[in-house]
Amino acid sequence: ERDMNTLRELVDELVHLKVAVIVTSSAGGVRAAKDATQTIPIVFTATADPVEDGLVSSLARPGGNVTGLALLAPELNGKRIELLKEAFPKITRVAFLCRTVVRLGNQRFREAEAVAKTLGLRLQSVGVKGADDFASALEAAKRSGAQALTTTPDPVLGTHRGRIIDLAAKKRLPAMYVASEWVEDGGLMSYGPDSL
C-alpha cells in the first residue's frame, strides 16, 4: 500500500508539471497514472499481461490514453523451474516468491506448479506484500522445507533484488531469477527475456 501511495504522489506531481507523456514499467504505475489523468499519454514498457491486468481493452486496440509493450511469456515460469531442477537434480521442494497484492502472482504460480509436478517437485507459494516481508517469507519457506527459490517478474521484487539475492544466499537457497540483472547483482542464475 505504501508503494502505491508513493506512485500516486509521483504521478500527481507529473500531472501537475504537465509532462508530455508518462512512461512506466509497472501495472501499479499505469493504474496510478490512469487514475490521475485521462489526457496525458501513458506508455508502459514491459508489463506481463496488460489485458489481464485491466490496463488496456485489448492488445490490438488498447483504448484511452494507455499503450505499451507486453511481455506475454507465461511459459517462462515453467522453464525456470525446469532449469532449476536440471542444475540441482536432488531438490524436491521449491519456494516461489511473488507478491500477494498482484493478481497475476497466482496465475504465474499455477503455471509453474503444473511444470513442477511433472518434475516431481513441490512448489510452495511464498507471498509478500512488500519489501518488509522478504526476510520473514524466506525464513518461513526455509523452515517448511524449501531447498531452492524462484521468483516471478514484478517491479517491487526487481527494485529490491539485491536484498532478495542476499537473503536467498544467507538461507542457502539456490535461486533462479527472472532477468540477467539479478545475476549481474550477484544472483545465481536467471532465465527470461532481455527487455533492455
Side-chain angles (χ1 to χ4, degrees):
E1 185 62 34
R2 184 177 64 195
D3 293 331
M4 276 307 294
N5 288 336
T6 301
L7 278 174
R8 288 183 191 108
E9 290 171 10
L10 292 171
V11 169
D12 287 344
E13 183 178 337
L14 293 174
V15 170
H16 179 73
L17 292 171
K18 298 180 182 174
V19 296
V21 66
I22 296 173
V23 179
T24 180
S25 63
S26 72
V30 175
R31 283 188 194 93
K34 281 179 71 170
D35 290 346
T37 181
Q38 287 75 44
T39 56
I40 298 173
I42 302 164
V43 178
F44 52 87
T45 59
T47 62
D49 189 340
V51 176
E52 178 72 24
D53 279 345
L55 305 178
V56 297
S57 301
S58 74
L59 294 178
R61 300 193 189 290
N65 60 323
V66 179
T67 191
L69 303 171
L71 292 176
L72 296 170
E75 66 280 357
L76 295 185
N77 294 307
K79 186 65 175 175
R80 288 184 194 100
I81 299 293
E82 287 177 17
L83 292 171
L84 191 57
K85 178 67 173 173
E86 186 177 323
F88 299 93
K90 293 183 180 182
I91 62 172
T92 58
R93 189 172 182 123
V94 177
F96 184 87
L97 184 65
C98 61
R99 284 199 314 134
T100 56
V101 295
V102 177
R103 188 167 27 114
L104 276 178
N106 289 332
Q107 177 186 339
R108 291 174 178 154
F109 175 77
R110 286 190 303 273
E111 293 160 354
E113 185 179 40
V115 172
K117 285 180 181 178
T118 67
L119 298 170
L121 293 172
R122 184 157 181 225
L123 197 62
Q124 171 188 353
S125 179
V126 179
V128 296
K129 288 185 179 179
D132 294 339
D133 301 334
F134 296 152
S136 60
L138 290 183
E139 176 63 33
K142 186 70 175 182
R143 272 195 321 267
S144 66
Q147 299 164 303
L149 172 74
T150 188
T151 61
T152 186
D154 181 272
V156 172
L157 298 182
T159 298
H160 300 284
R161 66 181 171 262
R163 186 165 177 211
I164 295 168
I165 291 165
D166 289 343
L167 288 167
K170 287 177 183 167
K171 298 295 177 197
R172 302 185 54 80
L173 291 169
M176 167 62 78
Y177 298 108
V178 298
S180 60
E181 295 85 19
W182 291 72
V183 174
E184 291 165 7
D185 287 350
L188 179 64
M189 55 197 234
S190 69
Y191 186 79
D194 184 0
S195 59
L196 299 179

